Amino acid sequence: MARWLKYVKERFPLVTYLLLSGAMCWSGASLFMVSPFSAHIQTTLSMLGILLFFFELRLMDEWKDFEKDKVAHPARPLPRGLIQPREVRIGIGTGIALMLAFTVLLGVQGYPEASALYA
């Protein structure tokens, strides 16, 4: 677990991605003239979904660039062995499963449109 936390610190700065996810949610809410502060559940769910999506993209990018990074960026976490390619594949599969579960959660919570779009 400590290795994954180090990976997140190096390659997925949480503060940056939380700000990005939050800004996307708040801007979307303002387009529909809904106060994001009065819709805490929707805003929180949206932020979590977007954050999960961005993390999944980061893992997929790490996997895709592994061979190139061994030569061009050997100090990155995957080429230097902080986490193994097998662990990244498992992380990608886990992320997909979490995203599918999130889709179901949205539908169960009464947001069928959001569930369909997230799927």
Side-chain angles (χ1 to χ4, degrees), residues 22-32:
M24 291 176 75
C25 295
W26 292 325
S27 66
S30 67
L31 285 174
F32 294 102

Side-chain angles (χ1 to χ4, degrees), residues 16-58:
T16 302
Y17 280 97
L18 281 170
L19 288 172
L20 179 63
S21 301
M24 291 176 75
C25 295
W26 292 325
S27 66
S30 67
L31 285 174
F32 294 102
M33 299 194 187
V34 174
S35 169
F37 300 106
S38 66
H40 298 296
I41 293 173
Q42 293 95 329
T43 304
T44 302
L45 284 175
S46 296
M47 284 179 65
L48 289 175
I50 292 169
L51 195 64
L52 179 58
F53 177 72
F54 282 142
F55 190 68
E56 185 74 10
L57 289 179
R58 168 54 53 208

Side-chain angles (χ1 to χ4, degrees), residues 71-115:
V71 175
H73 304 284
R76 287 191 177 161
L78 195 55
R80 77 169 190 261
L82 178 65
I83 53 176
Q84 300 300 315
R86 180 179 179 278
E87 293 174 299
V88 173
R89 284 194 316 263
I90 292 169
I92 291 169
T94 302
I96 290 170
L98 287 171
M99 290 171 73
L100 289 172
F102 185 74
T103 301
V104 172
L105 175 68
L106 288 173
V108 169
Q109 291 295 318
Y111 306 110
E113 297 88 356
S115 176

